């Protein structure tokens, strides 16, 4: 007979608010020289960037039932993702992260051990991205878990990349592959429904490690930013892919007042994503164009700069920027041109 695993369970009320904050933040490592004081006083103390650098500031909130489901999201992954999606926004400005503050609203039904798991993920991500966790707020919630992260970053002023700088003739580029996070979400949602209907049935998650990882623990592409920096290339525009490629292409084109031609056959899709799409009667391109949460980078560069890129395998060219009057177009697999339709991943999710 299997021995039941006895998990330790400590009620939050046992530690009290101050005890809890101390418990969660005592293991924090500070890596940035600009952090003069982190957690523990009324405010963190940070030296502003110097030498022509600017500060970048962004925030992203995740709410239970909207952005994640606790039934299939390991808490450690959730903590990691809350940091990674914020780092991704700093990357999309061509910057590097420096500090984060994390505010958490949690039901007092939660155990200290569960919060520990979330903070393990948070600390792991902070270490990976060299972002110091310098503060936050903790409050109780009556309806689900909310994790709100605010991030600071920096970059040389002349290297900031906006959505608005794309020019006709620039190459439209993307990092990694697309649609995997949506494929992962689809598998997890299916598994949740199956489990609900028949507890004896095992969900089919074996052999889908890549797409599950992309959904549960997406990595911010700090490596792309570093590679571009080493190649002395500054993209003319950039955005991170949180809502799906089509929607982000529209954002860049609208902000830059340009058109573009996206080539469907050039959009990179991982073999596991293709498998999940086909098993669910969908075309893989739909996942890649409309699935969200890939957190890859979409950017434009001039053809001359493309020649300077030191690791061209890290960059996929998927199209070209055109004058605004040419419209925002896609060349479909059959060679026909259509206006690029936007179907955000919220639309996909509802299906
Ligand atoms: P205040 O009453 O001024 O809001 P708190 O007691 O909430 O102060 O916070 C005390 C210290 O702990 C501060 O430095 C704050 O930034 C930090 N802190 C509070 N909650 C968190 C959290 N969830 N994660 C990280 N740091 C936190
Ligand atoms: Mg507080």
């Amino acid at each position: 007979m299997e021995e039941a695993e006895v998990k330790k369970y400590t009620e939050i009320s046992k530690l009290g608010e101050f005890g809890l904050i101390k418990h969660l933040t005592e293991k924090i490592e500070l890596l940035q020289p600009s952090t003069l004081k982190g957690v523990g006083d009324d405010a963190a103390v940070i030296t502003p960037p110097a030498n022509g650098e600017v500060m970048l500031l962004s925030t992203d909130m995740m709410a239970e039932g909207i952005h994640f489901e606790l039934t299939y999201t390991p808490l450690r992954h959730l903590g990691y993702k809350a940091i990674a999606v914020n780092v991704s926004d700093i990357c999309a400005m061509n910057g590097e992260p420096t500090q984060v503050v994390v505010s958490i609203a949690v039901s007092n039904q939660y155990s200290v051990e569960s919060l520990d798991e979330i903070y393990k993920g948070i600390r792991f991500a902070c270490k990976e991205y060299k972002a110091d966790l310098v503060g936050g707020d903790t409050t109780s919630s009556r309806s689900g878990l909310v994790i709100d992260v605010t991030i600071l970053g920096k970059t040389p002023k002349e290297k900031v990349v906006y959505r608005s700088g794309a020019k006709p003739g620039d190459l439209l580029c993307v990092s990694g592959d697309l649609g995997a996070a949506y494929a992962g979400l689809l598998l997890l949602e299916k598994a949740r429904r199956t489990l609900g209907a028949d507890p004896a049935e095992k969900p089919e998650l074996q052999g889908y490690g890549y797409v599950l990882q992309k959904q549960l623990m997406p990595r911010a592409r700090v490596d792309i930013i570093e590679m571009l920096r080493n190649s002395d290339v500054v993209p003319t525009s950039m955005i991170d892919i949180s809502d799906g490629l089509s929607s982000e292409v529209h954002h860049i084109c609208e902000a830059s007042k340009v058109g573009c031609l996206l080539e469907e056959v050039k959009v990179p899709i991982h073999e596991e994503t293709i498998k999940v799409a086909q098993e669910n009667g969908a075309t893989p391109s739909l996942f890649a164009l409309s699935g969200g949460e890939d957190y890859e980078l979409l950017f434009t560069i001039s053809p001359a700069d493309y020649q300077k890129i030191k690791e061209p395998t890290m960059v996929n060219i998927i199209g070209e920027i055109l004058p605004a009057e040419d419209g925002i177009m896609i060349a479909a697999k059959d060679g026909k041109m259509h206006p690029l339709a936007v179907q955000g991943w919220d639309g996909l999710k509802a299906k």
Side-chain angles (χ1 to χ4, degrees):
M1 210 173 81
E2 270 181 44
E3 241 180 88
E5 198 185 335
V6 184
K7 283 241 170 84
K8 244 188 100 196
Y9 182 94
T10 314
E11 272 178 42
I12 288 178
S13 58
K14 221 175 143 200
L15 288 186
E17 191 191 325
F18 297 123
L20 177 69
I21 294 172
K22 186 161 181 286
H23 176 81
L24 293 175
T25 57
E26 64 192 354
K27 288 186 197 150
I28 289 174
E29 285 177 67
L30 299 175
L31 302 169
Q32 296 284 347
S34 59
T35 306
L36 302 185
K37 173 75 188 173
V39 172
D41 215 306
D42 296 308
V45 182
I46 293 159
T47 316
N51 304 326
E53 287 186 320
V54 287
M55 194 176 259
L56 304 167
L57 174 63
S58 183
T59 189
D60 229 327
M61 176 155 59
M62 295 193 346
E64 181 181 345
I66 310 287
H67 302 94
F68 60 89
E69 292 292 338
L70 284 177
T71 39
Y72 55 70
T73 311
L75 293 169
R76 226 183 271 200
H77 291 63
L78 185 63
Y80 180 94
K81 187 169 175 176
I83 301 296
V85 302
N86 277 274
V87 174
S88 181
D89 279 322
I90 297 295
C91 290
M93 300 304 288
N94 200 27
E96 56 185 279
T98 51
Q99 285 87 13
V100 289
V101 291
V102 175
S103 296
I104 262 189
V106 62
S107 146
N108 53 17
Q109 306 290 313
Y110 260 67
S111 67
V112 174
E113 287 76 14
S114 309
L115 282 176
D116 269 339
E117 284 299 300
I118 297 175
Y119 270 76
K120 269 182 199 155
I122 289 176
R123 285 197 303 267
F124 185 89
C126 284
K127 201 169 169 185
E128 177 177 347
Y129 300 117
K130 298 185 195 67
D132 290 350
L133 174 56
V134 297
D137 203 14
T138 312
T139 174
S140 54
S141 149
R142 282 198 208 159
S143 60
L145 175 65
V146 177
I147 307 180
D148 184 20
V149 177
T150 297
I151 190 161
L152 279 176
K154 61 171 184 178
T155 200
K157 193 175 178 194
E158 71 282 3
K159 298 218 151 101
V160 178
V161 177
Y162 298 95
R163 298 176 178 183
S164 55
K167 298 271 175 303
D170 285 351
L171 303 170
L172 184 65
C173 305
V174 74
S175 63
D177 57 80
L178 300 177
Y182 179 72
L185 180 69
L186 193 92
L187 291 177
L188 290 164
E189 284 286 347
K190 264 189 144 175
R192 178 166 74 125
R193 285 194 298 266
T194 332
L195 280 178
D198 179 3
E201 195 168 330
K202 277 240 162 98
E204 269 308 327
L205 297 176
Q206 206 87 39
Y208 294 103
Y210 182 79
V211 297
L212 292 172
Q213 175 93 5
K214 273 292 250 188
Q215 166 58 221
L216 293 172
M217 203 180 151
R219 295 227 129 78
R221 298 306 307 262
V222 288
D223 56 334
I224 298 286
I225 298 308
E226 202 188 319
M227 191 276 290
L228 291 172
R229 186 81 36 113
N230 290 337
S231 308
D232 201 23
V233 169
V234 179
T236 52
S237 70
M238 185 152 54
I239 191 168
D240 67 326
I241 303 184
S242 52
D243 289 334
L245 178 63
S246 313
S247 150
E248 314 300 3
V249 167
H250 274 267
H251 285 314
I252 281 197
C253 288
E254 276 149 30
S256 300
K257 300 190 174 61
V258 292
C260 92
L261 178 61
L262 173 69
E263 291 184 59
E264 188 178 352
V265 290
K266 292 195 175 162
V267 176
I269 308 177
H270 192 276
E271 56 186 22
E272 258 181 43
T273 309
I274 296 176
K275 194 162 168 242
V276 175
Q278 287 171 346
E279 283 165 358
N280 289 278
T283 54
S285 297
L286 179 69
F287 283 23
L289 291 169
S290 303
E293 294 198 293
D294 285 311
Y295 297 104
E296 295 294 344
L297 294 170
L298 175 71
F299 51 97
T300 54
I301 43 181
S302 70
D305 268 352
Y306 180 75
Q307 299 305 321
K308 298 197 311 197
I309 286 189
K310 289 205 171 121
E311 296 196 49
T313 51
M314 289 173 83
V315 176
N316 306 290
I317 300 175
I318 58 171
E320 195 190 338
I321 298 299
L322 303 174
E325 54 271 25
D326 291 354
I328 303 170
M329 309 297 288
I330 181 166
K333 286 221 165 88
D334 57 13
K336 292 202 182 110
M337 301 241 289
H338 313 275
L340 179 65
V342 177
Q343 185 188 23
W345 75 292
D346 283 337
L348 267 183
K349 201 179 172 186
K351 280 190 182 166

